[in-house]
């Protein structure tokens, strides 16, 4: 039945991979997009770090008391460059800060020291210059407030110590020590939940996005490979070759999968590179050993994911091919297949952001009815341990796959592949003719 | 002129053709150098019947069409014609635009399903035994392309691999196609760099290279210049004479049909209005060429 299949596959892969548009759009751009993004973010981060190290602010000291002096000294010891603007009025100071590229202006009001020593509440006015809102800017402005808060904490400690010389100020201020752990699959594990979520982010975000990209690539390729046969007028010859029509269909699907996998791998490698460029900046506790706490994928969960993924690929391709048969050329096919990407984007967003089973019932049903939700759910099996859902999803996918594959085979097996056309225009014309008579 | 000799240099001892070739001027469609003398024809017919006996195909007709109807919605493209293509002959369909020539060839090639009636290729039904039929035929569409990102050579290899797995055969077949197409060095270039005529030559070559039992050729010389048309016609003739190929073709070019075909069918509005050898048709209508026969039969004059 499959005589000549490898020949067809080789041809499909050659045709697709040598197409400059496909090479660029599906392999090169995704592979380069992330590293370039990573580079941009890294550069921004570095600038932010540098600007943090060399913060310079203007200080308008209207108090001139001892606490105000302590404050400026504290900031200076922490490497903050301070420019005194006591000789300017407020509006002059503001325009000076703007012009001389300072991060902000701190105004210490009159009576600041007095109020603090007398135990009265006082105020400190901090003005940050808004220059465009990049990452570097927001970090340096938050740095100012962090430094001021640290100074405030010091004051509090000192006060507490004066009132209760016998006791540890730390115990008074933070009487409860919180120890946070996580329960995984019914066992308590000595890991902070946020650390765990950080570690899982690659799976709960990366997998659905990766699956979505793979499916979208494969569909576009399959649609292209059918439509270009029409556009380039090679279809008729292909259909009269001594091979079964199903072989042609299978060859097109396999060829598209191969090229899509290359594209998806390029995309994932790019994404990993991108992620790893952040890793250096994340706290070390994120290095959680997933295998040790039973969250690494088990062979069964991998098998389920693989099966689910395989079937969604096949059905997505059969769907794309069946649709693209109705198009006259590659452009037409791609715009016919384009709306189908909604079938991946919604499930991806919901699986990424929430637990689908916690959604309102109608929404949940709609999402579960979309076959492509299931591979994304299956990618969660590794940490939910909910094999049943995955298996039900796979059965559902299998039924859907068989149906669309049957439809695609029917279209390929008959003359429909040659004669099928979307006849919107024609129908309208006929109606008009009928109306006239 | 050296190019010419290279392409047409192989007249394989056919002195008559060689001599007449010299007299074919630019734009001269007479092609009379192709007509062999009757003794030669007779000998070739004998060779053909031996070839067929060896292939174990003793069905009487290469194509046997009975009351074929093909509707496209409200349009009736074929209105019940019946015709037979004999083994080892060149059978031509001629008719005006939209007469149903392409439709008839597509039905024969298993691309379209007849609305009613039957078509058999060497006794095999084009609907029920489509795959078997595809093993016997090779189809050259009226308007066709080749995979633009493959080289001409890769394209021919791809096409050959469906009929042979033997490396030697593969090489040989591709070499034959290279000769038929006359593309030579250009076969190494991607198809997207070819001109229309070069593409057509590649496709004609691929249709004939595997020596199919039945070659279905829809306007084989469309888009070719005079010299390449002459070359392609010569090759077609040669394949029928020497390789036992049967040819079922369509054409707009009456002179081409007149000199190439053993028998022709005149088709108009989906119906066959006359069928015979070109000579007999002319004689019956008492005119000097097929064009006039056609005009008479269709009622244009
Ligand atoms: N896919 C199709 N859908 C609808 N109508 C079609 C289709 N293919 C052919 N027809 C119609 O069938 C009729 C016969 O067309 P066909 O292509 O067989 O003509 P032809 O003899 O090959 O003409 P030409 O000399 O122009 O190639 C025409 O009226 C044409 O409009
Ligand atoms: Mg035609």
């Amino acid at each position: 039945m499959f005589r000549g299949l490898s020949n067809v596959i080789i041809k499909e892969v050659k045709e697709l991979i040598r197409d400059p548009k496909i090479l660029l759009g599906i392999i090169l751009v995704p592979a380069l997009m992330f590293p370039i993004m990573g580079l941009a973010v890294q550069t921004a981060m570095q600038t932010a770090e540098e600007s943090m190290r060399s913060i310079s602010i203007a200080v308008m000291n209207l108090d001139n008391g001892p606490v105000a002096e302590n404050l400026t000294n504290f900031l200076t010891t922490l490497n903050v460059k301070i420019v005194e603007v006591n000789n300017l009025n407020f509006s002059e100071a503001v325009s000076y800060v703007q012009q001389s590229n300072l991060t902000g202006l701190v105004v210490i009001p009159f009576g600041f020291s007095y109020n603090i020593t007398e135990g009265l509440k006082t105020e400190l006015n901090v003005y940050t210059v808004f220059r465009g809102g990049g990452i570097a800017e927001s970090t340096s402005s938050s740095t100012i407030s962090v430094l001021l808060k640290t100074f405030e904490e010091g004051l509090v400690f000192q006060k507490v110590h004066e009132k209760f010389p016998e006791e540890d100020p730390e115990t008074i201020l933070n009487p409860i020590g919180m120890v946070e752990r996580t329960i995984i699959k019914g066992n308590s594990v000595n890991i902070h939940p946020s650390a765990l979520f950080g570690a899982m982010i690659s799976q709960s975000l990366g997998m659905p996005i990766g699956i979505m990209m793979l499916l979208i690539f494969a569909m576009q390729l399959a649609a292209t490979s059918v439509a270009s046969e029409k556009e380039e007028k090679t279809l008729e010859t292909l259909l009269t070759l001594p091979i079964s029509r199903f072989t042609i269909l299978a060859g097109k699907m396999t060829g598209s999968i191969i090229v899509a996998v290359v594209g998806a791998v390029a995309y994932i490698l790019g994404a990993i590179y991108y992620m790893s460029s952040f890793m250096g900046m994340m706290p070390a506790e994120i290095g959680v050993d997933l295998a040790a706490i039973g969250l690494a994928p088990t062979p069964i969960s991998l098998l389920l994911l693989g099966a689910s993924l395989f079937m969604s690929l096949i059905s997505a391709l059969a769907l794309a091919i069946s649709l693209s048969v109705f198009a006259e050329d590659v452009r037409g096919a791609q715009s016919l297949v384009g709306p189908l990407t909604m079938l991946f984007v919604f499930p991806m967003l919901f699986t990424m952001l929430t637990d689908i089973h916690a959604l309102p019932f109608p929404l949940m049903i709609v999402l579960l009815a979309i076959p492509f939700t299931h591979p994304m759910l299956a990618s969660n099996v590794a940490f939910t341990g909910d094999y049943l859902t995955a298996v039900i999803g796979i059965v559902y996918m299998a039924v859907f796959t068989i149906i669309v594959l049957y439809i695609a085979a029917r279209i390929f097996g008959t003359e429909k592949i040659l004669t099928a056309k979307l006849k919107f225009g024609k129908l309208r014309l006929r109606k008009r003719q009928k109306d006239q008579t | 002129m050296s190019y010419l000799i290279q392409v047409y240099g192989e007249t394989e001892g056919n002195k008559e053709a060689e001599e007449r070739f010299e007299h074919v001027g630019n734009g001269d469609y007479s092609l009379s150098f192709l007509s062999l003398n009757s003794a030669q024809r007779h000998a070739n017919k004998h060779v053909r019947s031996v070839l067929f006996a060896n292939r174990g195909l003793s069905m009487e007709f290469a194509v046997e069409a009975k009351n074929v109807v093909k509707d496209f919605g409200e349009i009736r493209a074929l209105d019940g014609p019946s015709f037979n293509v004999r083994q080892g002959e060149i059978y031509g369909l001629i008719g005006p635009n939209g007469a149903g020539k392409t439709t008839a060839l597509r039905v024969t090639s298993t691309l379209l399903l007849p609305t009613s009636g039957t078509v058999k290729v060497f006794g095999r039904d084009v609907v029920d035994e489509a795959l078997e039929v595809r093993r016997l035929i090779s189809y050259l569409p009226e308007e066709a392309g080749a995979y633009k990102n493959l080289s001409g050579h890769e394209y021919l290899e791809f096409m050959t691999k469906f009929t042979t797995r033997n490396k030697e055969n593969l090489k040989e077949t591709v070499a034959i196609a290279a000769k038929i197409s006359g593309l030579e060095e250009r076969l190494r270039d991607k198809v997207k760099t070819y001109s229309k005529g070069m593409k057509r030559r590649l496709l004609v070559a691929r249709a004939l290279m595997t020596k199919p039992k039945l070659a279905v050729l829809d306007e084989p010389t469309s888009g070719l210049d005079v010299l390449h048309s002459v070359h392609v016609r010569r090759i077609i003739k040669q394949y029928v004479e020497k390789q036992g190929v049967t040819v079922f073709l369509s054409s707009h070019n009456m002179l081409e049909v007149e000199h190439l075909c053993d028998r022709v069918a005149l088709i108009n509005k989906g119906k066959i209005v006359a069928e015979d050898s070109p000579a007999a048709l002319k004689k019956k209508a008492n005119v000097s060429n097929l064009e006039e026969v056609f005009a008479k039969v269709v009622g244009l004059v």
Side-chain angles (χ1 to χ4, degrees):
Chain A
M1 187 183 188
F2 285 113
R3 239 202 103 174
L5 180 61
S6 60
N7 196 16
V8 178
I9 295 173
I10 292 170
K11 176 227 120 193
E12 292 297 338
V13 171
K14 272 189 191 164
E15 263 288 287
L16 288 173
I17 240 159
R18 286 183 192 170
D19 187 331
K21 272 175 269 158
I22 287 172
L23 193 65
L24 196 73
I26 291 191
I27 297 171
L28 285 181
V29 169
L32 293 180
M33 183 177 70
F34 280 114
I36 290 171
M37 256 167 71
L39 210 66
V41 172
Q42 237 174 356
T43 322
M45 292 283 198
Q46 265 164 16
T47 342
E49 262 177 52
E50 271 158 31
S51 62
M52 232 155 77
R53 263 185 252 118
S54 59
I55 280 184
S56 37
I57 49 174
V59 173
M60 184 181 274
N61 191 348
L62 304 177
D63 177 67
N64 285 322
V67 184
E69 200 188 327
N70 274 351
L71 176 58
T72 47
N73 287 343
F74 172 77
L75 291 177
T76 323
T77 51
L78 287 175
N79 270 337
V80 178
K81 200 175 152 235
I82 287 179
V83 183
E84 300 250 6
V85 286
N86 296 337
N87 50 342
L88 303 176
N89 68 30
F90 180 70
S91 59
E92 281 169 349
V94 165
S95 72
Y96 170 75
V97 169
Q98 175 86 55
Q99 278 158 23
S100 49
N101 247 339
L102 299 176
T103 305
L105 168 69
V106 175
V107 180
I108 306 174
F110 178 74
F112 180 77
S113 301
Y114 175 82
N115 284 348
I116 286 179
T117 26
E118 291 305 310
L120 299 170
K121 191 154 178 83
T122 187
E123 221 170 50
L124 201 59
N125 298 313
V126 183
Y127 301 88
T128 305
V129 187
F130 179 79
R131 288 202 172 85
I135 294 180
E137 204 177 299
S138 76
T139 34
S140 50
S141 84
S142 64
T143 311
I144 301 179
S145 50
V146 167
L147 293 177
L148 294 176
K149 272 269 174 250
T150 318
F151 180 74
E152 188 188 23
E153 268 172 33
L155 287 180
V156 172
F157 259 69
Q158 208 182 327
K159 259 249 142 73
V160 171
H161 185 64
E162 279 165 14
K163 289 263 179 221
F164 308 98
E166 310 288 292
E167 289 175 56
D168 181 3
E170 167 68 36
T171 318
I172 295 175
L173 289 170
N174 294 312
I176 301 175
M178 199 118 55
V179 181
E180 287 187 77
R181 300 210 166 104
T182 318
I183 295 179
I184 300 162
K185 292 181 182 169
N187 296 314
S188 120
V189 178
N190 191 10
I191 292 172
H192 194 284
S194 62
L196 189 59
F197 292 135
M200 294 309 293
I201 215 156
S202 61
Q203 270 189 47
S204 56
L205 290 183
M207 279 305 271
I209 295 180
I211 292 172
M212 185 193 70
M213 294 308 290
L214 180 67
L215 290 174
I216 290 178
F217 286 163
M219 281 177 87
Q220 272 177 353
L221 289 167
T224 305
S225 87
V226 174
S228 79
E229 299 265 4
K230 285 199 169 187
E231 196 175 299
E232 300 296 320
K233 307 244 175 344
T234 49
L235 186 59
E236 283 181 70
T237 314
L238 185 69
L239 295 176
T240 53
L241 293 176
I243 40 171
S244 76
R245 295 284 172 86
F246 198 73
T247 305
I248 298 175
L249 180 64
K252 290 209 165 291
M253 290 171 101
T254 317
S256 315
I257 291 177
I258 291 172
V259 180
V261 166
V262 173
V265 166
Y267 177 88
I268 288 167
L269 286 181
I272 288 173
Y273 179 82
Y274 174 65
M275 292 286 191
S276 63
S277 65
F278 284 116
M279 282 310 171
M281 296 164 202
M282 285 192 181
E285 61 185 325
I286 267 171
V288 176
D289 184 0
L290 293 178
I293 54 174
L295 283 187
T298 59
I300 296 177
S301 70
L302 280 180
L303 201 73
L304 289 176
L305 177 61
S308 193
L309 202 56
F310 179 72
M311 274 186 291
S312 44
L313 256 177
I314 300 289
S315 52
L317 289 178
L319 212 57
I321 287 180
S322 309
L323 265 183
S324 59
V325 162
F326 292 88
E328 300 279 290
D329 51 23
V330 173
R331 263 185 173 213
Q334 280 172 350
S335 51
L336 271 180
V337 167
L340 287 185
T341 48
M342 290 293 138
L343 294 180
F344 314 125
V345 174
F346 285 125
M348 181 209 62
L349 283 177
F350 281 104
T351 33
M352 245 167 61
L353 300 176
T354 65
D355 176 7
I356 282 193
H357 300 278
L359 290 170
F361 189 72
L363 186 57
M364 181 184 97
I365 290 298
V366 169
L367 281 173
L368 288 180
I370 298 174
F372 305 107
T373 305
H374 296 281
M376 307 203 181
L377 290 181
S379 75
N380 277 345
V381 162
F383 38 103
T384 56
D386 184 1
Y387 293 123
L388 186 64
T389 307
V391 170
I392 293 174
I394 286 174
V395 172
Y396 179 66
M397 289 282 322
V399 174
F400 177 76
T401 305
I402 289 168
I403 293 172
V404 279
L405 204 54
Y406 176 78
I407 294 172
R410 286 283 311 175
I411 292 177
F412 258 70
T414 62
E415 63 177 37
K416 283 203 185 62
I417 182 163
L418 273 184
T419 54
K421 257 177 239 167
L422 275 185
K423 289 183 179 156
F424 299 128
K426 243 186 189 170
L427 280 177
R428 227 176 285 144
L429 237 157
R430 274 206 199 123
K431 243 189 196 167
R432 212 177 291 153
Q433 282 169 348
K434 263 182 200 161
D435 291 346
Q436 281 171 356
T437 51
Chain B
M1 211 51 199
S2 67
Y3 177 60
L4 253 182
I5 287 161
Q6 193 143 28
V7 177
Y8 306 108
E10 267 197 316
T11 37
E12 290 181 66
N14 187 344
K15 273 272 172 276
E16 195 189 358
E18 243 167 22
E19 280 159 20
R20 296 217 187 177
F21 180 66
E22 309 284 44
H23 303 294
V24 180
N26 204 13
D28 184 348
Y29 279 76
S30 74
L31 309 181
S32 49
F33 73 95
L34 282 176
S35 50
L36 304 161
N37 63 47
S38 64
Q40 230 171 332
R41 263 179 190 246
H42 193 78
N44 282 324
K45 281 258 157 67
H46 178 69
V47 169
R48 259 179 266 160
S49 51
V50 172
L51 273 171
F52 273 89
N54 285 346
R55 286 187 183 194
L57 285 165
S58 54
M59 285 86 193
E60 202 183 342
F61 297 116
V63 181
E64 198 179 353
K66 282 205 184 105
N67 309 317
V68 193
V69 173
K70 178 65 195 175
D71 291 336
F72 292 106
E74 287 154 27
I75 302 164
R76 177 151 290 193
L78 286 179
D79 196 5
S82 299
F83 57 91
N84 297 319
V85 177
R86 294 176 194 144
Q87 291 186 18
E89 74 173 346
I90 303 179
Y91 186 93
L93 279 183
I94 53 176
N97 294 130
K101 302 181 294 295
T102 298
T103 308
L105 298 185
R106 280 181 171 171
V107 170
T108 309
S109 314
T110 76
L111 285 170
L112 296 175
L113 304 172
T115 310
S116 69
T118 56
V119 179
K120 287 187 172 162
V121 174
F122 290 101
R124 274 137 178 135
D125 190 275
V126 293
V127 179
D128 300 332
E129 299 165 285
L131 189 55
E132 281 80 3
V133 171
R134 282 181 217 135
R135 292 205 177 103
L136 299 171
I137 64 164
S138 95
Y139 174 60
L140 173 69
E142 175 176 19
E143 214 188 314
Y147 299 104
K148 58 179 179 185
N149 293 315
L150 299 188
S151 69
H153 198 271
E154 282 175 315
Y155 178 74
L156 294 172
E157 264 186 9
F158 166 67
M159 289 295 174
T160 312
K161 277 185 186 158
F162 293 109
T163 50
T164 181
R165 285 188 176 171
N166 181 311
K167 279 235 166 89
E168 288 294 299
N169 287 349
L170 184 85
K171 256 192 186 161
E172 207 176 293
T173 311
V174 173
I176 290 171
K179 214 180 228 173
I180 299 176
S181 68
L183 286 168
E184 299 170 36
E185 290 299 295
R186 292 303 304 273
L187 279 179
R188 285 198 214 139
D189 298 337
K190 295 250 175 79
V191 169
K192 62 178 155 195
T193 67
Y194 291 8
S195 75
K196 188 174 95 186
M198 288 164 73
K199 240 182 265 170
R200 192 68 182 165
R201 276 148 60 197
L202 181 71
L203 292 167
V204 170
R206 96 91 202 146
L208 293 173
M209 66 180 180
T210 49
K211 297 166 193 147
K213 281 165 197 121
L214 174 70
V216 182
L217 311 174
D218 201 348
E219 301 187 21
T221 57
S222 84
L224 293 187
D225 62 38
V226 177
L227 296 176
H228 283 106
S229 302
V230 169
H231 173 65
V232 163
R233 285 175 203 133
R234 205 181 106 59
I235 296 277
I236 291 173
K237 200 94 178 169
Q238 207 179 62
Y239 267 69
V240 172
E241 308 282 351
K242 304 234 168 81
Q243 312 287 354
V245 174
T246 303
V247 174
F248 181 22
L249 59 80
S250 82
S251 181
H252 277 134
N253 187 334
M254 301 284 174
L255 288 165
E256 162 176 303
V257 170
E258 198 169 337
H259 290 101
L260 195 58
C261 296
D262 295 299
R263 291 192 307 136
V264 276
L266 269 59
I267 185 169
N268 190 32
K269 293 180 184 156
K271 286 193 168 106
I272 289 184
V273 289
E275 184 200 45
D276 214 326
S277 71
L281 282 172
K282 282 188 287 188
K283 204 170 171 192
K284 251 188 262 174
N286 196 20
V287 290
S288 59
N289 63 45
L290 269 187
E291 237 159 49
E292 288 173 46
V293 174
F294 188 76
K296 234 178 184 172
V297 173
V298 180
L300 289 178
V301 280

